[in-house]
Amino acid sequence: MKKNILTGSLGLLGLTALLAACMPTPAPPTYECKTGSTITNIGTVQGAADASALAGQTVTVRGVVTLDAQAGLSGFYLQDVAPDGKADTSDAVFIYTATKPATVKVGEVVEVTGTVKEFNGLTQLDSVTTVTSCGETTLPVPANVTLPLASATALEPTEGMRIRISQTLTVTDTFTLGRFGELGLSSGGRLFNPTNGQGGDAASNKLRTIRLDDASSKQNPTTIPYLTGTDPQTATRRAGDTVTGLEGVLHYANSAFKVQPTKAPVFVNANPRTAAPKDVGGTVKVAGANVLNYFTTLGSAGRGASNATEFTRQKAKIVAELRALNADVITLMEVENNGETALDDLVAALNAAAGSAEYASVKTGKVGTDAIRVAIIYRPARVEPIGAAQIDTNAVHSRPPVAQVFRDRAGKGVFTVMANHFKSKGSCPTTGDTDQGQGCWNLQRIEQSKAVLAFSDKLKVTDPDVLIMGDLNAYGAEDPIKTIEAAGFESLNKRIPAADRYSYQFNGEFGYLDHALASSSLGAQVSGITEWHINSDEPVVLDYNIEFKKHPECTSTTCDSPDLYAPTPYRSSDHDPVLVGLNLKADADPVIPLTVNVSGDETVTAGQPYTLTYSTGGAPDSVTVTWGDGKTDTFTTPTGTATHTYAAAGSFTVTVTAKRGATTTTATKNVTAQPVVTAGGVYFSEYVEGSSNNKAIEIYNGTGSAIPAGSLVVNLYSNGSATPNTNAFTLAEALPAGATYVIVNPGANAALKAKANIESAVTNFNGDDALELVLNGTRADVFGQIGTDPGTNWGSGLTSTADKTLRRKAAVKAGDTNGTDAFDPATEWDGFATDTFDGLGQR
């Protein structure tokens, strides 16, 4: 019975095949154009050059619609039904319909009359006058494109055409996925920075690259494409994932060719997340983590969290990352340099998550003068610090290195960990230490490497096992790293397989800026190393920030993108952490050299307390602080703070002396005591409440004396509130007499930002919000009326506080210290048109 069924089925199939062979192939849909217009071949419009020879001329073209992207790109693509057969000209063109979309559909043949234009490298028909339908036809076969390209202009002859890339491509750039809905793809795997050590060069990398777009030029899309899902706990699209058989129309925008897909791409999650770093073995683990501006001072000129909500989100991600590293010593980069405040906050959060006092910090106080510093935390149950921290005070450092000697409590091995953060590659000078292939400031980074080596020589006096950790802002094959290697240190990162050797992504190229280098004696005690790829592979849109996202506290002009935040380690920073395992040999008790470090502010106001932080190594018998004004204090604690009040203004050299028996060592700190400055002559001198985020406030110091750093605070009172919101701003630098200081909104346009001394969220004001200027705790000026909501604005006409620029009248020499009295801006302010910026920076 079964055999008969099978035989019958085969017979039926054979009959079906025979009938199919006899039937003619269906003819493609027919079309007929009856306009009688003179048709210009699209290949003629495109021409063989980058720009059309017909630019500015009105033409009529005929073609089939291959992609209707009017909803996202304000136009559609048309491919010629009668191509010119020339290999060096494209057979397709973009039809820009702007705000007057045409009714077209894919497969429809249309005649279009419009003007040939070049728009940022894209040939298009603009100022369209007629779109006439002729019927339908089959779509042209996609042109095959293969990467790497033969040349930088190889795609020009297929601009606007249907294409297919049959090969497997790798996601190598996720940076703009959330902002613009696009991904960078490459052939032959991810792209590596040419100076990272994996070979290649910038030109060949570009030939391997193409971008995948979402058929839209809109920013902050309401739906982020190509993600693995919509659950905030898991949604991502990681670099290293792959896609095969990409089909679409080849668009050109933002100086790049982009595939606008006509078939949904199918991604393979080839580089899945891991819940923990790879095992590195060892009895002691040391990690390095860049925590991306961990600032407890909120709204600090674009550094760190803008408000309390963002800070809570940031903290949760950083804590999740550091706990999952499960390290016994962790070096940290980009901690706010505000004494121990930010570091203590992070340690407290770690311990709260652990439910016990799991971590402690190495106390250094403020280190150097930069806004950020390096720091070290550790597990007291696993390792014990020997002596105090040591700080390299060499002036070449951007952020002084901090070192600490530790002993493994279980195995009694002694080792020293040094935390570093070298000068960045950005903020390039126009002359001198410019980019010569390794980023700007490379010469300074080389000198910083030499200083680190000199510092390590001092550290080796205690114990030869030194581990240099940190963000050195140099890729693996660059000169600063070679300098350290040439002195006998091993770059442990090179033990990682080449394909996995990265911690940072920039412009779609990967490399490692985060290093672990071991002295020759320590190298043999290293059990393993890994870079945990939780950040560089992840889209930026997953971070803690709330701008542009559907969040109740979003203050951007558009808040449409999904908020995919989750309190997980993924995209907790922009750098991947490094983890090293150590199997330490037991050591005898080390002899700690007598050392002393001091830190503190550069200035203080006379009559106000000044606090100096000191730390010593080598167990001194006593520590003496000579303040430079004839006063001296003596302490018996090896690490602590000393407080002193200077009675009068002046410049003083503070000398800290550590004494052990007959041995002494000293460190000095120069302090300037500023004269007492009263609030009378410091005030708001200009106010900008322009279009969109064009907002700024200017402060003028008319007191006749410099105002010390940290003395001025700007508070924002929103919507009639009697208490300031969290976007307070503290001026972290001195304001000279007669100088102005301009604070600009981070979302302002380039023209306004060019006037800024700093950017801060304290400028998230509208015309109905009040501003307060405070000097040393005393109100100096108020703009608006605290506790009163005027509706939309105070004043009217040119002196309205909404959509205008207001400039303090020349006769005004002091601020309004009564913040609750009626406010009429016309009394003390002159008004100017919206987006007037020419007066900022001068009084």
Side-chain angles (χ1 to χ4, degrees):
M1 184 68 178
K2 291 180 180 178
K3 182 177 179 181
N4 291 339
I5 292 173
L6 179 61
T7 303
S9 299
L10 290 173
L12 182 60
L13 289 172
L15 179 61
T16 301
L18 179 63
L19 291 173
C22 295
M23 294 177 64
T25 302
T30 59
Y31 63 90
E32 183 178 1
C33 297
K34 301 178 181 180
T35 63
S37 303
T38 300
I39 303 300
T40 302
N41 188 274
I42 292 178
T44 302
V45 173
Q46 286 279 7
D50 289 347
S52 174
L54 302 183
Q57 298 184 30
T58 299
V59 298
T60 300
V61 296
R62 178 186 297 160
V64 57
V65 177
T66 58
L67 176 65
D68 182 6
Q70 295 180 97
L73 298 175
S74 300
F76 60 89
Y77 265 105
L78 203 64
Q79 190 158 335
D80 211 316
V81 291
D84 62 5
K86 296 179 181 180
D88 58 352
T89 61
S90 170
D91 295 324
V93 69
F94 184 65
I95 309 299
Y96 179 66
T97 55
T99 57
K100 298 179 180 179
T103 302
V104 296
K105 61 182 179 180
V106 173
E108 183 178 14
V109 178
V110 295
E111 288 185 355
V112 179
T113 301
T115 303
V116 180
K117 291 186 180 179
E118 291 292 330
F119 180 74
N120 294 334
L122 174 70
T123 302
Q124 64 183 31
L125 256 63
D126 199 343
S127 304
V128 173
T129 56
T130 61
V131 178
T132 304
S133 177
C134 302
E136 296 182 33
T137 190
T138 54
L139 293 174
V141 175
N144 288 317
V145 170
T146 302
L147 301 178
L149 302 171
S151 69
T153 58
L155 289 177
E156 183 67 27
T158 52
E159 178 187 281
M161 294 174 57
R162 298 186 74 218
I163 66 163
R164 175 180 173 83
I165 305 176
S166 300
Q167 68 201 107
T168 297
L169 301 178
T170 299
V171 176
T172 196
D173 188 356
T174 63
F175 189 77
T176 56
L177 177 60
R179 192 72 190 272
F180 295 104
E182 60 183 21
L183 291 168
L185 307 176
S186 61
S187 63
R190 73 173 71 233
L191 303 178
F192 284 94
N193 192 287
T195 58
N196 200 54
Q198 286 98 332
D201 57 68
S204 63
N205 279 355
K206 288 182 179 179
L207 297 178
R208 292 170 52 195
T209 307
I210 199 165
R211 299 198 73 77
L212 172 63
D213 203 2
D214 62 345
S216 175
S217 60
K218 296 179 180 178
Q219 296 188 36
N220 313 306
T222 56
T223 300
I224 299 173
Y226 314 129
L227 291 173
T228 57
T230 57
D231 181 0
Q233 294 290 327
T234 59
T236 188
R237 174 56 62 204
R238 284 167 59 87
D241 290 345
T242 60
V243 61
T244 304
L246 198 62
E247 288 189 13
V249 169
L250 190 64
H251 188 64
Y252 187 83
N254 310 115
S255 303
F257 282 102
K258 302 180 180 184
V259 179
Q260 307 293 357
T262 53
K263 184 178 75 173
V266 178
F267 285 89
V268 175
N269 301 334
N271 181 31
R273 289 173 171 175
T274 58
K278 294 177 181 177
D279 183 26
V280 294
T283 57
V284 173
K285 296 180 178 65
V286 182
N290 185 314
V291 293
L292 188 57
N293 295 314
Y294 190 89
F295 272 54
T296 53
T297 304
L298 306 180
S300 299
R303 287 188 181 269
S306 298
N307 52 55
T309 298
E310 283 193 347
F311 185 57
T312 299
R313 287 157 59 113
Q314 179 189 27
K315 185 185 301 187
K317 278 191 166 290
I318 295 296
V319 167
E321 172 191 0
L322 298 184
R323 282 183 52 74
L325 283 171
N326 194 28
D328 304 305
V329 178
I330 306 178
T331 59
L332 301 172
M333 283 64 67
E334 297 199 20
V335 177
E336 184 179 6
N337 195 12
N338 59 346
E340 303 295 341
T341 303
L343 186 60
D344 284 349
D345 181 88
L346 179 55
V347 170
L350 283 167
N351 291 338
S356 64
E358 184 177 9
Y359 281 97
S361 63
V362 172
K363 301 298 184 182
T364 61
K366 187 175 181 180
V367 183
T369 59
D370 198 82
I372 54 177
R373 68 175 176 106
V374 298
I376 302 174
I377 62 175
Y378 64 97
R379 281 175 165 155
R382 299 296 304 276
V383 296
E384 62 173 322
I386 299 177
Q390 299 184 53
I391 302 171
D392 187 11
T393 57
N394 191 315
V396 73
H397 293 301
S398 310
R399 292 158 285 262
V402 172
Q404 178 65 56
V405 181
F406 290 100
R407 178 173 15 219
D408 174 13
R409 289 188 184 276
K412 303 303 180 184
V414 176
F415 64 108
T416 302
V417 176
M418 186 200 307
N420 299 270
H421 192 180
F422 282 9
K423 177 78 172 176
S424 74
K425 293 175 179 287
S427 301
C428 298
T430 56
T431 60
D433 203 352
T434 57
D435 187 354
Q436 301 298 315
Q438 298 183 39
C440 301
W441 308 109
N442 191 56
L443 297 178
Q444 183 171 345
R445 285 191 294 275
I446 293 172
E447 293 305 310
Q448 289 175 339
S449 291
K450 294 176 181 178
V452 161
L453 291 171
F455 187 34
S456 68
D457 286 342
K458 296 178 182 177
L459 299 173
K460 288 177 183 178
V461 173
T462 301
D463 187 87
D465 298 338
V466 176
L467 184 61
I468 297 172
M469 300 286 290
D471 176 3
L472 304 188
N473 273 309
Y475 291 112
E478 292 184 354
D479 295 334
I481 309 307
K482 292 179 180 178
T483 299
I484 299 175
E485 289 178 297
F489 278 82
E490 178 193 353
S491 173
L492 299 177
N493 300 68
K494 292 183 179 178
R495 297 190 186 187
I496 301 171
D500 202 34
R501 201 180 300 153
Y502 63 89
S503 68
Y504 188 74
Q505 181 268 130
F506 183 72
N507 282 346
E509 295 179 331
F510 286 78
Y512 61 102
L513 300 176
D514 305 271
H515 297 260
L517 299 110
S519 63
S520 56
S521 63
L522 184 62
Q525 302 172 71
V526 174
S527 57
I529 180 174
T530 190
E531 292 158 323
W532 188 23
H533 303 310
I534 54 173
N535 294 320
S536 64
D537 282 338
E538 297 280 351
V540 177
V541 71
L542 305 184
D543 68 14
Y544 68 84
N545 290 283
I546 61 177
E547 63 262 30
F548 309 121
K549 299 174 184 176
K550 290 182 179 177
H551 187 281
E553 294 182 50
C554 174
T555 58
S556 306
T557 52
T558 58
C559 301
D560 298 332
S561 290
D563 184 8
L564 298 176
Y565 168 81
T568 60
Y570 311 107
R571 203 63 197 187
S572 52
S573 176
D574 55 346
H575 291 245
D576 293 330
V578 179
L579 184 65
V580 177
L582 301 175
N583 279 320
L584 295 167
K585 300 174 184 177
D587 294 296
D589 290 342
V591 176
I592 306 297
L594 188 62
T595 59
V596 60
N597 296 304
V598 296
S599 64
D601 291 334
E602 308 295 319
T603 60
V604 67
T605 300
Q608 297 292 321
Y610 175 79
T611 300
L612 183 81
T613 300
Y614 68 89
S615 60
T616 65
D621 302 322
S622 63
V623 178
T624 301
V625 180
T626 303
W627 294 104
D629 62 350
K631 303 294 178 62
T632 299
D633 292 320
T634 301
F635 304 90
T636 57
T637 53
T639 299
T641 59
T643 302
H644 181 69
T645 299
Y646 290 99
S651 296
F652 305 93
T653 298
V654 182
T655 303
V656 180
T657 303
K659 182 178 181 181
R660 184 179 64 197
T663 303
T664 61
T665 187
T666 63
T668 60
K669 176 72 180 179
N670 293 323
V671 178
T672 299
Q674 303 277 9
V676 177
V677 180
T678 58
V682 58
Y683 51 88
F684 294 126
S685 50
E686 190 148 348
Y687 165 93
V688 175
E689 208 286 311
S691 59
S692 188
N693 286 325
N694 288 341
K695 304 171 191 292
I697 193 75
E698 177 188 87
I699 303 168
Y700 173 67
N701 179 11
T703 64
S705 301
I707 298 176
S711 302
L712 284 171
V713 176
V714 178
N715 291 316
L716 174 61
Y717 294 78
S718 301
N719 304 318
S721 173
T723 58
N725 67 20
T726 58
N727 289 341
F729 171 79
T730 300
L731 203 161
E733 58 189 276
L735 183 60
T740 59
Y741 194 86
V742 179
I743 309 170
V744 171
N745 192 284
N749 65 23
L752 181 51
K753 283 188 174 183
K755 301 286 188 178
N757 290 97
I758 205 163
E759 298 171 22
S760 171
V762 77
T763 56
N764 286 341
F765 52 73
N766 294 308
D768 58 346
D769 301 325
L771 291 158
E772 176 187 41
L773 181 64
V774 177
L775 173 65
N776 293 324
T778 301
R779 179 180 290 162
D781 194 12
V782 171
F783 181 92
Q785 186 176 0
I786 295 174
T788 298
D789 187 348
T792 57
N793 58 276
W794 286 281
S796 61
L798 275 182
T799 53
S800 166
T801 57
D803 303 321
K804 295 293 184 289
T805 292
L806 301 181
R807 197 171 297 157
R808 212 72 176 254
K809 294 179 181 293
V812 176
K813 302 298 182 184
D816 176 10
T817 59
N818 186 348
T820 59
D821 60 341
F823 179 63
D824 179 7
T827 304
E828 292 192 354
W829 299 80
D830 293 322
F832 298 86
T834 303
D835 291 341
T836 299
F837 311 143
D838 60 343
L840 287 170
Q842 51 192 324
R843 171 60 173 161

